[in-house]
Every structure is written in structure tokens, then in C-alpha cells.
Amino acid sequence: IGKGFAIGSAALVSLALYGAFVVRLKGLDVDVDLSGVNIMEPVTFAFVLIGAMNPYWFAALTMKSVGKAAGEMVEEVKRQFALTDSQGLSILTGSTEIKPDYDRCIAISTKSSLREMVGPGALVICSPLIAGTLFGVQAVFGLLTGSLVSAVQLAISMSNSGGAWDNCKKYIKGCYSEDPELRFMKQPQTEQDRVSAARAREVHDAAVQGDTVGD
């Protein structure tokens, strides 16, 4: 529900900004028909297609950034786990001399979030500026129209997909299925569950990974 409200509010804000753009044009001396967007104009139609691709480009950049930041975090955790003290103990084996460096992990996440959003932010800011400067107002009409429609559809699709993967994990952990291979239990109760425990663990691990991607 929360994601739905966020998507709806973002769509309305985008529409309001679109209206502000049109109102602003009415106050300028431009030779443009402001009664509607005519997609039969070649430039407008071309930029409707380009605008429809922009949200997918944005999503790809952000997902790639998340993967890169997660990789850096994993490498840092592996480095800390590999450290040993004077007695040859590591964090995992109960070392009292080595403490987890949480600040370093937080710094990696914070720096990555700022650094990796430069590209997606530049895409959002620069695309209408380049379209308007080089191809005119009709190009901006097409770009904004395509981006708005495509972004709403993509947001709803990704939200529902993520929710489905999350529910899949809950379905397996909650043991709601009649199939023992889809019932994950830390302590199997019946003989059938004990036989299927290995397969159920594999299914559960796959569902956890799917839930992570969905988030």
C-alpha cells in the first residue's frame, strides 16, 4: 500500500510539473500549439519513444549501482572476517581483540549511494535540457509524455514483482504448501519433512535471494 501511494503521488507531481511547463510556455512568445501534444509530429513521436526508454535506463543504472555497492560491502566483510589476533582467532571464532568495524561498512554504503546516483541524476536533469536545446519544445513534449507513462507502468510492475517475491519467501517459511519440498523448517517434525529438508533449504535460499532482488 505504501509503495502504491508513493507511485501515485509521484505520477501526480510529474503531471503537475508537466502542467507548469505548459503554463510557462504560454507566457512566452513561442510558435507552438499548446492545446495538446500531437504525436503525429515526427520529432514528438521520436522523443515519445526515447522518453519511454529513459525510465528503464534509470532503473538499470540504479540496480547496477546497488550491485556494485553490495559487492564492495561483501569484500569489506570478508576482509574483516579474515583478520586474526595474536592467538590466531578471528571475529567468527570468538576473538576478543578484533572488533567489527561497523563505521567502515556504513561509510562504504554512504559514499556509494552518493557517488552512484550522479549518473541517474544527470540522466533525469540533462535529457530534457538536451532535447529542448537541440530539437525544440515539441521534443520536450514527447520526452516528458513518454517518460511519465513508461515510468508509472514500470514502477507498478516492479512493485508488484518485488511484492510477489517477498510473499514467495513468506509462503515457504510459513509452511503453507502441501508439498514438503516447499516447506522450510529449521527442525522438521515428520519423516517426510526430514527427507525433503535438503531440497526445502535450497528452495528457501532461492526465495531469499529473490526477495533481496525484489527489495
Side-chain angles (χ1 to χ4, degrees), residues 82-99:
L83 297 176
T84 56
D85 58 15
S86 57
Q87 298 179 351
L89 299 176
S90 65
I91 295 176
L92 294 177
T93 55
S95 173
T96 57
E97 299 177 15
I98 303 176
K99 300 297 181 182

Side-chain angles (χ1 to χ4, degrees), residues 43-190:
V43 174
T44 305
F45 181 75
F47 275 87
V48 165
L49 299 180
I50 294 173
M53 291 186 286
N54 268 359
Y56 292 89
W57 189 3
F58 182 91
L61 289 173
T62 53
M63 286 189 283
K64 183 178 179 181
S65 299
V66 170
K68 187 184 298 184
E72 294 177 7
M73 187 78 72
V74 169
E75 291 300 322
E76 173 59 24
V77 172
K78 289 169 64 177
R79 185 193 68 82
Q80 293 189 28
F81 283 171
L83 297 176
T84 56
D85 58 15
S86 57
Q87 298 179 351
L89 299 176
S90 65
I91 295 176
L92 294 177
T93 55
S95 173
T96 57
E97 299 177 15
I98 303 176
K99 300 297 181 182
D101 190 356
Y102 300 112
D103 292 338
R104 190 176 180 87
C105 294
I106 294 173
I108 290 174
S109 178
T110 304
K111 291 178 181 178
S112 296
S113 64
L114 296 175
R115 182 180 67 249
E116 296 297 331
M117 282 306 295
V118 172
L123 172 64
V124 173
I125 295 172
C126 295
S127 55
L129 294 177
I130 295 174
T133 302
L134 299 181
F135 300 96
V137 175
Q138 293 293 344
V140 180
F141 279 154
L143 185 74
L144 295 180
T145 302
S147 297
L148 175 59
V149 175
S150 178
V152 172
Q153 181 274 329
L154 181 62
I156 295 173
S157 175
M158 295 177 72
S159 175
N160 290 339
S161 299
W165 284 331
D166 180 39
N167 291 337
C168 177
K169 183 195 69 174
K170 294 176 180 176
Y171 181 77
I172 294 171
K173 293 188 71 172
C175 303
Y176 297 112
S177 175
E178 296 181 359
D179 187 347
E181 294 186 355
L182 297 180
R183 296 198 301 262
F184 175 71
M185 303 180 191
K186 292 183 178 180
Q187 296 180 346
Q189 302 296 324
T190 66

Side-chain angles (χ1 to χ4, degrees), residues 25-49:
L25 283 177
K26 289 182 178 179
L28 302 176
D29 187 17
V30 291
D31 186 19
V32 177
D33 181 14
L34 299 177
S35 60
V37 178
N38 183 12
I39 64 170
M40 297 305 293
E41 290 283 341
V43 174
T44 305
F45 181 75
F47 275 87
V48 165
L49 299 180

